[in-house]
Amino acid sequence: MRLREVFRYELGYRLRSPSTWSYAAFLFLLMGWGLVATAGDSAAAVHVNSPEEVAQGTVLFGGLFGLLVSAALFGDAAIRDVAAGMDPFLYTTRLRKTEYLGGRFLAALAVNAIVVLAIPLGFWVATLTPLVEAEALGPNRLAAYLQPLLLFLLPNLVLVGAILFTIGSVARQVIPVYLGAAGIFIGYMVVADDWSRIESPMLSALADPLGINALQAMHRYWTPSELQIRLIGFPAMLVWNRVLWLAIAAGVLAVLHRRFRFTHADGGGRRRRRRRISRAAIDTLMEWRGPMDLPQAAAVFGLRTRVRQTLAVARQSLAEVMSGRAFPVAFAGAIGLILLWGWNAPDTAFDTPTWPVTRLVVSTVLAARSVLIPWLVIAVYAGELVWKDREVGAAEIADAAPVPTGIALLGRFLALVGIIVAFHAAFLAGGILLQILQGYYKFELGLYLRVLFGLNLVANVLLGALAMTVHVLVNQKYVGQILVLMACLLSLLAGMKGLPYLAVYNSGPGWTYSDMNGFGPFLGPYVWFKLYWAAWALLLLVIAVLFWVRGREPGVRRRIARARARLRGTTLRMAGVAAALILALGGFVFYNTKVLNEDPPRNEVGRPQAEYERRYGRFEDAPQPVLTAADLRLEVHPGEPAVDMRGGYRLVNRSGVSLDSVHVVLDRNVEVRSISLDRAARPAVVDEETGYRIFELERALEPGGSLRLSFDLAFRPRGFRSRGIQTAVVGNGTYFDRRWLPFIGYQPRFELSDDAARKRFGLGPQPRLPGPGDAEARRRDTSLRNEGRVQFEAIVGTAADQTAVVTGLLRRSWTENGRRYVHYGADGPVPFGPAVFSARYAVREDRWRDVELQIFHHPEHGYNVDRMLAGMKASLDYYTKVFGPYQFRQLRVVEIPPYSVNGRALVTTIVFGEQNFITRAGEGRVDHTFFGTAHEVAHSWWGGQVRGAHARGNDLLSEALSNYSAMMVTEKVLGPEQARRVYDFQMDRYLSKRAEFESDVPLLEVEEHPHIAYGKGAVALYTLREHLGEEVLNGVLRRFVEKHRAGGPPYPTSRDLLAELRAVTPGSMQYLLTDLFETITLWDVETRRAVAARTAGGRYEVTLDVVAKKLRADSVGRETETPMNDFVEIGVFAPGTGDGLGAPLYLKRHRVRSGKQTIRVTVPREPARAGVDPWRKLIDRDREDNMADVETGATAAPRS
Amino acid sequence: MELRIRNVSKTYAKSVHALKDVTLTIPRGMFGLLGRNGAGKSTLMRILATLQQPDEGSVHLGDIDVIREKEKVRQTLGYLPQSFGFHPRVSAERLLEHFAVLKGIVEPGVRRDAVESLLRRTNLWEVRRQRVGTFSGGMRQRLGVAVALLGNPKLIVVDEPTAGLDPEERVRFLNLLSEIGEASAVILSTHIVADVEELCNRLAIIDRGEILLEAEPARAIEQLRSRIWRRTVSRHELPALERELPVISTKLLAGRTIAHVYAEASPGAGFEPVEPDMKDVYFSVMAGHHGRRRRADAEMAS
């Protein structure tokens, strides 16, 4: 009866409370908005409301914010009695612990469960609104919404609620509850990493308290079609997991029940509304000896007083906050979090860690991953600062003191800034500690300070201003905190959703730090936007002053009246100043970003390209003269930044008909000072919007005739941009290619490629790239028209302290007029694609036979240069031996800032982003630098000497072969063990990325699927090598190079390579080519049982029960079984150390059929593990079941 | 049912002795516990109200061991703490009903009657639907009384209840308490001497955790007859007077200081005897001339 009463009372109280419904509204809106924000990506393969997406969205996103709401609800349920002072009454009734705690907890749980319904509801309603594109939606199924709710959200609520309620009841304060919620979140993230390493699937399924990892693991290898329609259902393991954790929740509550006592809190810092119980102070009698003389202290009010009052308020507020028990815990927690989150931040490919350089720590760990901490700190502590006086009952005393409202606010704001600074100091400590623990000591304190106490501090202080204002306006602490968090989230996501930065508080362009170029071109725009928002922050603080609650009139109308009354004097002046600054700075920013530069709204992006196609697309195949030679003179001014380009093209008419016009396409960002032909011509079309020009010749150009196009162009960006900040020409680390130089004739590559955008502008879908069997396709090796192999000479000038590098061969370098000049050229005609680099480089030079090797790198990045050189030499060694000679006399590596590509191979030049220079490899571990270098060098053959036709499957000839070649070099130099690790990585890359793409294609037809080209390609070729033998495969490749080295149409396609491979593959293995290249084939092999019996001669006979299956998938992932009769390795291994396999006792290929089969082998020693495909070479989504532990027994009867 | 407190001691952390060996016997009726702030009153009240545990000693309410059988005590306990509050957004009526259920008044009809009668008694019937957050200090106090009185408790512990009440409310409150005191044991702790003087059957004076005096008010006053002397002095004479004689209290009246002095016989010229009142008892005891000395005498005798 009493339990029911407690339950009903609490339920009624909470349901009547507006904050409960505001939490529900918050979650509802958050889900809806989250869905709308992420649904814009038209590349998504699955419907945004497929069961998988619904599950992920509600459980992860909703669960995360639901945690905050739970902290508020359960925390309030636990401490309200004590906070209100009602506990002495409650504890002295007949109420028992079970009834009290049980009733409160159940009611809080019920309310929270009702609020949690807002999560799937918000998701569902969002799908009904027109804000989500209809074609991104599938049918809404009730089960898709219900299952995650029942399986994850509600049980997690019980667990989380039990923990938070216990914390609240024991601590009797609210901040520990928030800390508990943060701890749950953080703890979960931390453990999530370890969780994936648990071998046993049962243990790993059970060990997951919130079930989220289990959910993600379930989805990991699903195909697009599965993700589209398959419901999660109620898998047995997950249900047991829920039962287990519900039991643990009950355990937590049992602990609470034991610990809880109906007693007055014994001096634990318990707050009372009117008096503090001071334990230690012994009351002394006020000695009164007749009339007293009160000290005469005159009060002075002037500017100095104001300053001191402000500082006093600040100091006092800060001390109050920092002296609470929660603060040091939160502080230490922040440091701990940095360590935990950042520990594996420096990992890149192949598990190869990079050095935890400060840049990496600062940008990924501190700026990106840990952004939640400052938000929480600001939201919670701003509330504390605004509410503290009222909560302890000191408000009326403080309000009646002669402290102007503005100073009361300013002092508190300064205290908040102090708290933010303190947490940034924690970040600094965490970052440095992280580096020390990983053995890296170049701390670059200057960089830390600039980022943490410069850029980030400014952003967080602005948020602090907003937080204080929100808390002042919204007269409810918990609701205020939630609103502040929403505002933080919004400001972060403004960028993603394309909202204008001038309209969303504290938003603005981000920054990328580069070791070479510092904050480069990003600092200016960032600072200007922050100044603009600082003006707004000033206005916000003025508003906070106006609405500051002083005294006892919290009603809305009264506050508005008071606000109006307060708008005088200094406050009015401040408001005026703020408004003026907003207009001035806003105007300046607007002028720069919208007037001097283009920043079209989201749905206008792409219009120029659309117009280009619409107006001039018909000229696509019009005959035009071909570019055969170019001479260029480029003046690079890194400091401005600007590039002046002058030069000329030699155009030859190879079309066979006479030409009466020359079409020229120029980049729209380029200023055209002059462009002309060397004969009479009329500029018939000068279209500035699209950059298209048509010169009509007075006299037609006969076949075989040539003419010269001269041009004088400039790339001189003006002002600054907020989006698409140009990073090509920067202070140190300039890198640009030929895109600013003129193109001859209509170029299809500049058309709009985004399907959604094309539809918006009324263009049909782009025609697909032709297939590898298409004869037409062989005529071209690129989409570029009217350019073949080009002879070029380029003179590039740059600042005196920088070195310019151009793809090609260096002719000479000199200094002139205080600038450095270089002259590069190409000996024979090469594809015309000069890339220009300019930076303050250090150069390392070496030789390999008669090839000059150079590495142009940032002087500080020298520690991997040796490894790169080793890679270059080893690659040249192997490739020259196997594929044929390297066709140039120079090979260089140039380092660029991390703004554009990570690695690219150009003519004679390999471009590497900074990241590659800071990898760190342990002894004998796979080295990304080495592998990457080998891969790029391989491109000189695959893509350089051999140019594939511009058709689907082209990447097989360039990327897959380069990856395979790099794997071969790795094997030769670092050993087969390392090559195996690379193989595993490529396999995982292929399998795990399959789900992200709309369609799946066979290797032969690969087109823009990196995971197939790089991942599956490497796997396929390596597998082929295993079966055919290295000699045979390499022989095919060598002949392929010889055949196509000369170039010129017809260009080879993937089918040509396949044909060559077929020619050398024995009949029994032809199936491999079909499986690996022509189809999408997956295997599924499993060893059900492995039994060993000792034979008479002391040997062991091992019997394996193997089940095998081969599946063919179509482009959307539907699978059908196909008969299998393939060569698969069978292996038996001796006991090994740890989890690894021991020495192989038996390793041979057997024929494995579809279905069940028994395989018997004999081994000389006692085996430990045995099975099929031990080295996981088959493309199998579940490779854990390939091997089984061997059971040793007497003769084991084979089971079928 | 009488309340027997025997040798109760409680020490907070940092060796603050809140209660030292407190022994009291409290029969039915009003019992006043008088002492200054920090004397240990609230601690004792909380122990009696089952909200704290003494480190030593025992407390019995009739047969019930208060310390070990808390549940039984709570079944017949009414506690009005020194500072308290209520959930601000609930109405007085709902709150009272809630507590009624918690105190075991389950029968809906009986409960409604009890709630109504208490609200009328405390003059809150007109505002019973209003949220408690809008109540004034006195109204909140009265609601606290109503809660404490739910269920006709046999033991009522009231901690400093009249601080903050206006004179009318104070009188009404004290009358209410004395009515109740006819049927239950009411323990009233206060530092306002007048409360105790007028109403209590017995009183005790406590200071620094020790009981200095336990007596009936009339007898305590009687014991001081012809021991309290009064003299009017000027401000400058006062320090000299205090050095020579045991001055127990001083008061300013129209610019002159009136001093009360404790002495077995007239201390000298200018002194006149006064009829002692409770305040004199209190000050004498606190100054050490009475009470504690008496206890010491009793110990020496036994």
Side-chain angles (χ1 to χ4, degrees):
Chain A
M1 177 66 209
R2 283 189 288 272
L3 195 154
R4 196 148 41 107
E5 171 65 25
V6 172
F7 179 84
R8 262 201 308 190
Y9 177 85
E10 177 72 17
L11 193 69
Y13 188 91
R14 267 259 76 102
L15 288 180
R16 267 181 283 126
S17 172
S19 59
T20 308
W21 299 109
S22 65
Y23 298 146
F26 164 66
L27 287 176
F28 183 85
L29 291 171
L30 195 69
M31 286 309 298
W33 172 76
L35 178 64
V36 170
T38 54
D41 312 330
S42 53
V46 291
H47 294 151
V48 295
N49 63 341
S50 68
E52 179 259 348
E53 288 290 312
V54 172
Q56 297 268 18
T58 55
V59 174
L60 272 86
F61 197 56
L64 174 62
F65 288 95
L67 201 61
L68 283 172
V69 168
S70 295
L73 283 174
F74 283 100
D76 181 62
I79 67 173
R80 193 186 333 121
D81 293 332
V82 171
M86 207 159 98
D87 52 318
F89 290 121
L90 286 169
Y91 295 173
T92 53
T93 59
R94 290 193 194 192
L95 207 48
R96 289 168 185 261
K97 271 200 283 190
T98 316
E99 293 159 347
Y100 178 62
L101 295 172
R104 274 271 141 72
F105 177 74
L106 288 173
L109 189 62
V111 170
N112 207 345
I114 294 174
V115 168
V116 149
L117 286 178
I119 295 178
L121 213 64
F123 198 105
W124 177 66
V125 168
T127 64
L128 301 175
T129 61
L131 291 169
V132 180
E133 294 171 15
E135 44 190 41
L137 293 172
N140 267 329
R141 296 158 67 185
L142 186 63
Y145 291 92
L146 223 48
Q147 281 173 359
L149 183 70
L150 293 176
L151 202 53
F152 294 102
L153 286 176
L154 290 178
N156 286 348
L157 189 61
V158 174
L159 180 65
V160 165
I163 295 174
L164 295 177
F165 187 73
T166 303
I167 294 177
S169 302
V170 168
R172 289 180 174 174
Q173 284 183 57
V174 74
I175 291 209
V177 179
Y178 279 122
L179 280 182
I184 291 177
F185 173 66
I186 290 160
Y188 190 76
M189 305 280 283
V190 164
V191 171
D193 276 340
D194 289 329
W195 179 88
S196 53
R197 283 191 222 125
I198 300 178
E199 279 282 335
S200 152
M202 183 178 84
L203 207 59
S204 68
L206 288 179
D208 182 8
L210 299 182
I212 295 180
N213 282 319
L215 180 68
Q216 292 188 308
M218 230 177 15
H219 288 141
R220 192 158 198 238
Y221 288 157
W222 283 11
T223 62
S225 70
E226 285 179 310
L227 292 171
Q228 195 84 295
I229 47 178
R230 191 169 149 186
L231 292 168
I232 22 176
F234 294 98
M237 255 317 128
L238 266 181
V239 172
W240 279 114
N241 169 303
R242 311 281 74 202
V243 167
L244 173 67
W245 286 97
L246 282 176
I248 292 180
V252 171
L253 290 172
V255 168
L256 171 65
H257 185 268
R258 274 214 67 177
R259 267 208 66 170
F260 187 80
R261 294 233 146 75
F262 281 137
T263 52
H264 164 69
D266 236 7
R270 177 184 170 185
R271 296 251 153 80
R272 286 187 152 211
R273 276 208 297 170
R274 286 198 187 89
R275 285 188 229 183
R276 268 206 114 108
I277 298 179
S278 63
R279 304 171 275 141
I282 298 172
D283 204 346
T284 51
L285 184 62
M286 183 174 93
E287 300 285 335
W288 184 64
R289 300 241 172 282
M292 296 199 288
D293 286 321
L294 293 173
Q296 297 291 320
V300 177
F301 296 105
L303 179 63
R304 196 153 159 265
T305 313
R306 301 260 182 272
V307 171
R308 303 203 92 192
Q309 280 176 331
T310 310
L311 291 177
V313 169
R315 197 176 22 237
Q316 179 59 28
S317 311
L318 199 57
E320 262 295 317
V321 162
M322 285 195 179
S323 66
R325 250 186 306 178
F327 187 82
V329 173
F331 191 88
I335 297 184
L337 238 148
I338 303 295
L339 288 176
L340 289 164
W341 262 342
W343 192 255
N344 53 10
D347 278 354
T348 56
F350 314 147
D351 254 334
T352 305
T354 50
W355 288 103
V357 295
T358 304
R359 158 169 87 79
L360 208 61
V361 173
V362 145
S363 52
T364 56
V365 179
L366 297 181
R369 290 186 190 193
S370 313
V371 71
L372 198 62
I373 305 177
W375 290 358
L376 283 175
V377 166
I378 292 171
V380 170
Y381 281 109
E384 290 293 301
L385 285 166
V386 168
W387 279 91
K388 180 126 304 207
D389 274 354
R390 273 176 277 182
E391 280 176 351
V392 300
E396 279 160 19
I397 299 176
D399 288 347
V403 176
T405 310
I407 288 182
L409 176 70
L410 187 61
R412 285 182 178 75
F413 180 66
L414 287 178
L416 185 62
V417 172
I419 294 172
I420 296 174
V421 168
F423 272 91
H424 280 228
F427 287 170
L428 176 64
I432 291 184
L433 200 58
L434 180 67
Q435 290 179 310
I436 290 179
L437 288 176
Q438 294 206 357
Y440 181 78
Y441 302 103
K442 278 181 72 177
F443 301 128
E444 295 179 72
L445 274 178
L447 180 58
Y448 270 118
L449 290 177
R450 270 179 291 159
V451 172
L452 284 178
F453 295 101
L455 302 177
N456 283 6
L457 185 64
V458 168
N460 285 332
V461 167
L462 289 178
L463 279 180
L466 177 70
M468 292 215 79
T469 309
V470 167
H471 274 292
V472 170
L473 290 175
V474 172
N475 218 12
Q476 257 260 20
K477 188 158 92 165
Y478 295 132
V479 177
Q481 284 166 348
I482 290 203
L483 283 179
V484 169
L485 283 172
M486 285 183 72
C488 293
L489 204 61
L490 193 70
S491 78
L492 181 71
L493 292 171
M496 295 204 334
K497 210 39 192 162
L499 294 169
Y501 291 136
L502 281 174
V504 177
Y505 186 76
N506 200 27
S507 66
W511 50 267
T512 306
Y513 183 78
S514 152
D515 279 337
M516 289 176 79
N517 199 30
F519 293 103
F522 301 103
L523 194 60
Y526 186 89
V527 169
W528 281 116
F529 271 95
K530 288 294 178 251
L531 282 175
Y532 166 70
W533 287 115
W536 273 102
L538 184 59
L539 188 64
L540 281 175
L541 288 176
V542 169
I543 293 175
V545 170
L546 293 180
F547 283 92
W548 185 260
V549 172
R550 191 161 189 166
R552 280 258 190 144
E553 310 251 31
V556 177
R557 242 176 298 166
R558 295 256 164 77
R559 292 182 69 191
I560 295 180
R562 283 234 62 190
R564 233 179 278 162
R566 279 185 184 149
L567 191 57
R568 266 177 313 164
T570 321
T571 318
L572 184 61
R573 274 197 295 263
M574 281 283 119
V577 167
L581 281 176
I582 289 173
L583 288 174
L585 290 165
F588 179 73
V589 169
F590 185 83
Y591 177 67
N592 268 282
T593 58
K594 297 271 191 191
V595 174
L596 288 183
N597 288 292
E598 278 172 15
D599 189 15
R602 245 214 174 174
N603 59 353
E604 277 293 303
V605 169
R607 181 170 285 284
Q609 287 131 294
E611 287 306 310
Y612 165 84
E613 183 175 344
R614 208 205 308 274
R615 292 177 199 165
Y616 309 110
R618 62 188 196 270
F619 296 122
E620 182 169 339
D621 289 317
Q624 283 289 292
V626 168
L627 172 63
T628 59
D631 57 276
L632 306 166
R633 187 171 172 113
L634 310 175
E635 298 283 351
V636 177
H637 301 277
E640 293 187 25
V643 180
D644 295 317
M645 298 163 275
R646 278 198 337 236
Y649 286 170
R650 182 161 176 270
L651 307 175
V652 174
N653 183 356
R654 294 211 181 117
S655 65
V657 300
S658 52
L659 302 170
D660 58 2
S661 63
V662 177
H663 295 209
V664 175
V665 180
L666 289 161
D667 190 291
R668 297 171 56 244
N669 292 317
V670 157
E671 211 182 288
V672 180
R673 296 211 183 106
S674 78
I675 181 164
S676 58
L677 296 165
D678 65 347
R679 60 192 59 201
R682 188 177 70 86
V685 171
V686 178
D687 188 348
E688 304 252 336
E689 189 185 342
T690 60
Y692 206 88
R693 286 161 194 259
I694 303 182
F695 292 93
E696 259 169 35
L697 300 167
E698 247 182 50
R699 258 182 335 151
L701 182 66
E702 295 303 319
S706 71
L707 46 69
R708 185 180 161 80
L709 177 73
S710 308
F711 48 86
D712 186 355
L713 314 168
F715 175 72
R716 290 184 165 270
R718 294 189 301 164
F720 58 85
R721 304 179 67 101
S722 63
R723 290 206 162 81
I725 297 175
Q726 76 89 16
T727 53
V729 186
V730 295
N732 184 34
T734 300
Y735 163 48
F736 59 89
D737 55 20
R738 61 146 296 172
R739 63 178 145 128
W740 296 323
L741 298 174
F743 290 82
I744 307 298
Y746 181 83
Q747 301 295 339
R749 69 164 40 174
F750 295 134
E751 289 172 359
L752 212 53
S753 53
D754 178 33
D755 281 331
R758 288 182 72 89
K759 210 150 53 126
R760 228 183 300 136
F761 294 115
L763 299 167
Q766 259 193 331
R768 244 189 117 186
L769 217 52
D774 189 335
E776 263 294 299
R778 293 167 189 281
R779 289 202 299 131
R780 290 189 209 284
D781 65 340
T782 165
S783 69
L784 268 183
R785 312 284 170 147
N786 310 312
E787 267 177 39
R789 308 272 167 133
V790 172
Q791 192 122 22
F792 85 93
E793 302 293 324
I795 295 178
V796 178
T798 182
D801 61 344
Q802 295 198 5
T803 312
V805 183
V806 183
T807 49
L809 303 169
L810 175 66
R811 306 249 192 254
R812 74 180 178 111
S813 67
W814 69 101
T815 314
E816 185 185 315
N817 287 342
R819 284 169 63 77
R820 290 273 309 273
Y821 284 89
V822 290
H823 178 171
Y824 278 77
D827 270 345
V830 294
F832 183 60
V836 177
F837 308 84
S838 172
R840 289 182 281 275
Y841 286 118
V843 187
R844 180 80 103 74
E845 291 178 327
D846 205 335
R847 289 194 84 83
W848 178 84
R849 298 206 194 149
D850 65 341
V851 177
E852 276 174 39
L853 304 177
Q854 289 170 309
I855 300 189
F856 291 84
H857 64 97
H858 183 57
E860 316 273 313
H861 283 175
Y863 31 93
N864 273 339
V865 168
D866 284 329
R867 216 189 311 274
M868 264 181 209
L869 278 176
M872 287 160 89
K873 289 184 190 167
S875 311
L876 287 170
D877 252 349
Y878 183 77
Y879 300 153
T880 314
K881 198 164 37 182
V882 171
F883 304 139
Y886 175 66
Q887 79 263 50
F888 298 111
R889 280 178 291 115
Q890 288 177 359
L891 177 63
R892 63 184 78 93
V893 169
V894 184
E895 181 175 4
I896 57 168
Y899 304 140
S900 46
V901 297
N902 187 36
R904 179 180 279 174
L906 305 170
V907 170
T908 71
T909 307
I910 294 172
V911 184
F912 269 148
E914 276 178 27
Q915 313 80 282
N916 294 290
F917 283 80
I918 57 172
T919 59
R920 156 173 71 161
E923 268 307 309
R925 292 185 71 185
V926 175
D927 184 350
H928 179 71
T929 311
F930 185 88
F931 185 89
T933 308
H935 176 102
E936 301 299 342
V937 173
H939 271 306
S940 289
W941 284 264
W942 309 119
Q945 296 184 29
V946 175
R947 293 186 63 78
H950 190 58
R952 299 200 292 273
N954 192 7
D955 280 343
L956 172 60
L957 298 179
S958 59
E959 300 300 347
L961 282 175
S962 298
N963 239 15
Y964 164 73
S965 310
M967 280 179 71
M968 295 308 300
V969 178
T970 306
E971 191 182 84
K972 294 284 177 254
V973 177
L974 298 178
E977 181 65 38
Q978 306 316 313
R980 217 191 319 275
R981 297 194 81 201
V982 176
Y983 186 85
D984 283 340
F985 171 80
Q986 302 292 359
M987 176 78 81
D988 191 62
R989 178 182 191 177
Y990 169 57
L991 285 175
S992 58
K993 292 267 188 234
R994 273 183 79 217
E996 290 183 18
F997 281 78
E998 249 174 45
S999 60
D1000 204 358
V1001 291
L1003 194 48
L1004 215 55
E1005 302 255 338
V1006 65
E1007 171 193 11
E1008 291 186 20
H1009 296 84
H1011 63 294
I1012 298 180
Y1014 291 76
K1016 186 174 178 185
V1019 163
L1021 288 164
Y1022 203 77
T1023 306
L1024 214 52
R1025 183 203 81 135
E1026 293 254 310
H1027 285 83
L1028 296 179
E1030 190 175 330
E1031 280 298 312
V1032 173
L1033 183 55
N1034 287 350
V1036 169
L1037 297 178
R1038 177 175 38 250
R1039 284 193 297 278
F1040 200 75
V1041 172
E1042 280 166 15
K1043 190 162 158 188
H1044 296 285
R1045 186 183 291 137
Y1051 294 98
T1053 68
S1054 48
R1055 283 224 170 266
D1056 294 324
L1057 181 64
L1058 186 65
E1060 303 278 346
L1061 290 171
R1062 280 218 185 275
V1064 300
T1065 307
S1068 57
M1069 296 192 198
Q1070 287 280 334
Y1071 74 90
L1072 261 183
L1073 292 171
T1074 317
D1075 289 342
L1076 292 171
F1077 292 90
E1078 288 181 300
T1079 58
I1080 306 168
T1081 307
L1082 300 157
W1083 284 262
D1084 185 4
V1085 295
E1086 181 190 347
T1087 303
R1088 289 257 171 91
R1089 205 162 164 234
V1091 180
R1094 231 190 125 106
T1095 63
R1099 298 166 66 79
Y1100 285 83
E1101 181 184 78
V1102 182
T1103 310
L1104 300 168
D1105 292 338
V1106 169
V1107 179
K1109 216 169 21 166
K1110 189 151 91 167
L1111 304 154
R1112 288 268 162 82
D1114 68 3
S1115 65
V1116 287
R1118 272 188 298 257
E1119 294 169 6
T1120 45
E1121 192 165 341
T1122 188
M1124 171 172 172
N1125 190 15
D1126 299 357
F1127 284 112
V1128 185
E1129 266 182 351
I1130 301 291
V1132 181
F1133 293 82
T1137 50
D1139 284 334
L1141 295 172
L1145 301 172
Y1146 179 92
L1147 196 64
K1148 238 165 71 151
R1149 270 192 218 116
H1150 285 230
R1151 278 273 186 195
V1152 173
R1153 306 183 310 271
S1154 312
K1156 299 191 204 155
Q1157 55 224 285
T1158 312
I1159 300 176
R1160 278 197 194 79
V1161 302
T1162 321
V1163 294
R1165 291 203 310 276
E1166 180 167 4
R1169 278 177 77 78
V1172 58
D1173 190 24
W1175 299 119
R1176 303 178 178 188
K1177 295 179 180 169
L1178 290 179
I1179 301 178
D1180 184 349
R1181 277 176 297 190
D1182 183 6
R1183 286 160 282 161
E1184 306 287 332
D1185 59 3
N1186 290 7
M1187 301 292 283
D1189 289 326
V1190 177
E1191 309 161 22
T1192 2
T1195 9
R1199 298 205 296 201
S1200 50
Chain B
M1 262 212 274
E2 72 175 9
L3 189 66
R4 289 189 306 282
I5 303 171
R6 297 282 176 267
N7 307 101
V8 164
S9 296
K10 180 148 185 88
T11 310
Y12 287 126
K14 301 186 186 174
S15 49
V16 175
H17 294 283
L19 294 173
K20 278 189 221 155
D21 203 30
V22 170
T23 299
L24 291 173
T25 305
I26 298 169
R28 208 164 42 145
M30 287 272 281
F31 186 95
L33 189 62
L34 190 58
R36 56 182 174 182
N37 295 326
K41 305 193 298 298
S42 292
T43 307
L44 184 59
M45 296 294 108
R46 280 196 291 268
I47 290 176
L48 298 181
T50 73
L51 290 181
Q52 266 185 304
Q53 295 270 101
D55 295 330
E56 287 163 24
S58 71
V59 181
H60 284 86
L61 176 67
D63 300 331
I64 307 175
D65 181 339
V66 171
I67 295 168
R68 287 207 189 83
E69 297 175 278
K70 290 196 168 71
E71 308 248 331
K72 273 197 171 170
V73 178
R74 288 175 186 152
Q75 289 176 7
T76 183
L77 172 67
Y79 175 49
L80 183 64
Q82 180 178 9
S83 74
F84 59 87
F86 294 104
H87 296 156
R89 283 204 295 273
V90 188
S91 72
E93 190 176 29
R94 179 74 187 94
L95 265 171
L96 215 48
E97 271 179 18
H98 180 57
F99 279 112
V101 175
L102 298 186
K103 288 209 170 186
I105 310 175
V106 280
E107 200 61 36
V110 174
R111 182 169 70 234
R112 231 174 305 131
D113 290 339
V115 166
E116 179 172 344
S117 84
L118 274 169
L119 285 174
R120 286 195 191 280
R121 223 39 246 285
T122 52
N123 205 11
L124 290 173
W125 181 249
E126 306 298 320
V127 296
R128 67 188 184 282
R129 296 267 160 82
Q130 273 186 37
R131 294 177 162 194
V132 174
T134 63
F135 280 11
S136 72
M139 289 160 83
R140 221 183 345 227
Q141 192 79 354
R142 300 204 301 268
L143 183 59
V145 170
V147 171
L149 295 180
L150 268 174
N152 298 320
K154 289 277 165 281
L155 173 65
I156 299 177
V157 178
V158 183
D159 194 354
E160 309 231 16
T162 60
L165 295 183
D166 68 47
E168 244 188 272
E169 287 176 327
R170 184 169 151 268
V171 163
R172 260 193 251 127
F173 176 78
L174 292 173
N175 287 343
L176 177 63
L177 276 189
S178 64
E179 263 182 58
I180 295 164
E182 288 164 19
S184 326
V186 178
I187 307 169
L188 166 71
S189 94
T190 180
H191 59 265
I192 299 174
V193 180
D195 288 350
V196 166
E197 181 166 23
E198 291 153 22
L199 290 174
C200 296
N201 312 23
R202 286 182 71 76
L203 67 84
I205 296 180
I206 182 172
D207 189 37
R208 304 223 176 135
E210 288 178 288
I211 301 292
L212 300 183
L213 178 74
E214 184 184 354
E216 286 161 36
R219 283 207 57 206
I221 290 175
E222 184 58 39
Q223 278 168 350
L224 278 186
R225 180 149 286 132
S226 59
R227 288 210 168 95
I228 304 293
W229 305 86
R230 180 176 70 186
R231 179 168 157 194
T232 308
V233 296
S234 70
R235 203 149 56 110
H236 316 285
E237 295 170 316
L238 189 54
L241 187 67
E242 280 175 337
R243 272 197 296 272
E244 290 167 30
L245 291 170
V247 173
I248 62 169
S249 70
T250 56
K251 191 165 71 176
L252 260 183
L253 187 60
R256 309 281 287 167
T257 308
I258 302 178
H260 282 213
V261 168
Y262 178 92
E264 304 283 334
S266 169
F271 282 94
E272 51 183 11
V274 290
E275 275 298 311
D277 59 14
M278 209 53 220
K279 283 208 270 287
D280 293 316
V281 172
Y282 179 71
F283 287 127
S284 307
V285 167
M286 293 301 278
H289 308 298
H290 195 52
R292 200 186 293 156
R293 196 186 68 186
R294 282 201 56 188
R295 243 191 17 197
D297 285 349
E299 274 178 29
M300 285 197 322
S302 61

